[in-house]
Amino acid sequence: MLLQNRAVLALGLRMCSTRVMKGPSMDTARTNSDMSEFRKVFSQAKHIAIITGAGVSAESGVPTFRGENEKWRKWQSQDLATPEAFSRTPSRVWEFYHYRREMALNKKPSAAHLAIAECEARLRKQGRSVVVITQCIDDLHRQAGSKHVLKIHGSLMETRCVSCGHVTVNRRSPICAALKDKGSPDPDVADAQIPVDKLPRCGEIDCRGLLRPNVVFFGETLDSHILTKVEKEMETCDLCLVVGTSSIVYPAAMFGPQIASRGVPVAEFNMKTTPKTEYFMYHFQGPCGTTLPPALVRHESEDI
């Protein structure tokens, strides 16, 4: 199937690439920023897929871990978010993710989160659907009220046991006593070097295995069940929005172009153009919290 074939080309792994790929040479790929034209397309869409990235949560104050936020202490964030790093230094990796969890737990949904959730609820009453396909691992789409969310990179608010595989929602703060007040990103702060038996442990009877964040580390394969659901949404949507994503993390960077390749209108909302902008019919530049709400607000043709 389409997505699975492309995922095979991308090794089925979460990876980051800065290589710029040329877009398709077809007239329908000409990008414009005509909001009134987009609104007409929006008013006629029955199944809308909204692909969101870190830029949406950045407007809530959640760091993107790109650019000036790329390092935690003296390490690159992408070097900590790997299965090898967790295996070698679980205490350090848990400090890093504890820092991210605590930050996310204290943030509120942005205007973009709220606009998406309101749009989903409103269109549901009209027999139309909105699905959020997100790369974000925070909980802000749920907090905003979105119901149909596919988290392709997992969730900071879930843990998975490395021994028994049990996955559970976990919003405790701190997640364990040993991590209380730990995780400062200051480069002068030394590792806490927490003993493994003091790190988060599985609560299942007769297990007590080490827990890890239920997120997709770089180099790991994305959940095939989630990808199957994403594929279905990609094949049935008649409008796609790509919101707040750099379009350099694969395989998610392929989703918008794949939808555009079958002639479906795709609109990009981002602070700047991306390597995939030329694939899309529309591009609206600026903060997502400014550009997205007027794009999704009730259209004059809507009955409800």
Side-chain angles (χ1 to χ4, degrees):
M1 294 167 67
L2 185 62
L3 178 57
Q4 291 173 335
N5 290 339
R6 293 304 299 268
V8 168
L9 293 176
L11 304 180
L13 305 177
R14 182 186 178 190
M15 61 179 75
C16 184
S17 172
T18 56
R19 183 167 63 92
V20 177
M21 298 178 65
K22 296 297 292 180
S25 56
M26 53 184 178
D27 292 339
T28 55
R30 185 177 302 167
T31 304
N32 71 56
S33 56
D34 187 333
M35 181 61 77
S36 62
E37 181 182 314
F38 169 81
R39 291 281 291 160
K40 291 178 183 177
V41 174
F42 167 77
S43 70
Q44 297 167 3
K46 301 296 184 184
H47 306 288
I48 302 172
I50 303 180
I51 301 167
T52 66
V56 176
S57 294
E59 294 182 22
S60 290
V62 178
T64 61
F65 296 96
R66 296 269 189 273
E68 63 180 16
N69 297 308
E70 196 166 7
K71 282 191 173 183
W72 177 84
R73 293 182 184 164
K74 60 184 178 182
W75 293 280
Q76 296 288 329
S77 298
Q78 289 183 30
D79 292 336
L80 293 170
T82 70
E84 295 81 12
F86 188 77
S87 178
R88 289 192 306 265
T89 55
S91 174
R92 179 186 300 159
V93 174
W94 255 122
E95 277 200 85
F96 170 62
Y97 277 100
H98 175 66
Y99 165 69
R100 297 184 69 176
R101 276 173 54 93
E102 293 297 303
M103 181 175 294
L105 283 167
N106 287 290
K107 301 302 181 184
K108 300 297 183 184
S110 68
H113 289 114
L114 295 171
I116 292 169
E118 190 280 331
C119 179
E120 178 191 356
R122 188 181 78 246
L123 297 194
R124 188 186 306 118
K125 297 176 182 178
Q126 303 170 22
R128 302 160 70 190
S129 69
V130 173
V131 60
V132 177
I133 302 169
T134 187
Q135 300 170 73
C136 299
I137 59 175
D138 54 56
D139 207 29
L140 294 174
H141 279 301
R142 184 197 65 83
Q143 287 185 42
S146 290
K147 304 298 184 186
H148 193 183
V149 181
L150 298 176
K151 298 183 176 183
I152 63 171
H153 291 160
S155 173
L156 277 173
M157 306 309 160
E158 294 178 356
T159 55
R160 183 168 84 246
C161 179
V162 301
S163 297
C164 73
H166 182 69
V167 174
T168 186
V169 174
N170 188 321
R171 299 190 180 94
R172 290 198 300 269
S173 173
I175 190 170
C176 70
L179 281 166
K180 182 177 174 59
D181 300 325
K182 300 296 190 293
S184 168
D186 190 322
D188 294 326
V189 173
D191 283 2
Q193 297 185 354
I194 300 168
V196 174
D197 63 349
K198 300 298 183 184
L199 291 172
R201 311 299 295 190
C202 183
E204 291 295 286
I205 298 175
D206 299 326
C207 182
R208 296 296 296 166
L210 176 65
L211 295 179
R212 56 163 281 180
N214 190 35
V215 299
V216 180
F217 289 145
F218 285 100
E220 289 186 323
T221 303
L222 273 64
D223 187 320
S224 61
H225 298 293
I226 296 294
L227 282 179
T228 297
K229 292 178 181 180
V230 169
E231 181 181 38
K232 180 180 178 181
E233 299 295 344
M234 288 174 59
E235 291 175 345
T236 58
C237 71
D238 54 5
L239 175 64
C240 175
L241 283 63
V242 179
V243 185
T245 174
S246 59
S247 292
I248 61 172
V249 177
Y250 287 78
M254 300 185 300
F255 296 167
Q258 282 293 292
I259 293 171
S261 72
R262 62 182 184 86
V264 173
V266 179
E268 183 179 57
F269 294 78
N270 206 27
M271 287 295 292
K272 57 185 179 181
T273 58
T274 72
K276 299 296 185 286
T277 299
E278 60 186 323
Y279 285 81
F280 305 144
M281 188 174 294
Y282 303 100
H283 174 80
F284 299 102
Q285 195 153 316
C288 302
T290 300
T291 58
L292 193 62
L296 298 182
V297 72
R298 181 182 180 276
H299 189 268
E300 60 185 12
S301 65
E302 292 180 35
D303 296 329
I304 299 176

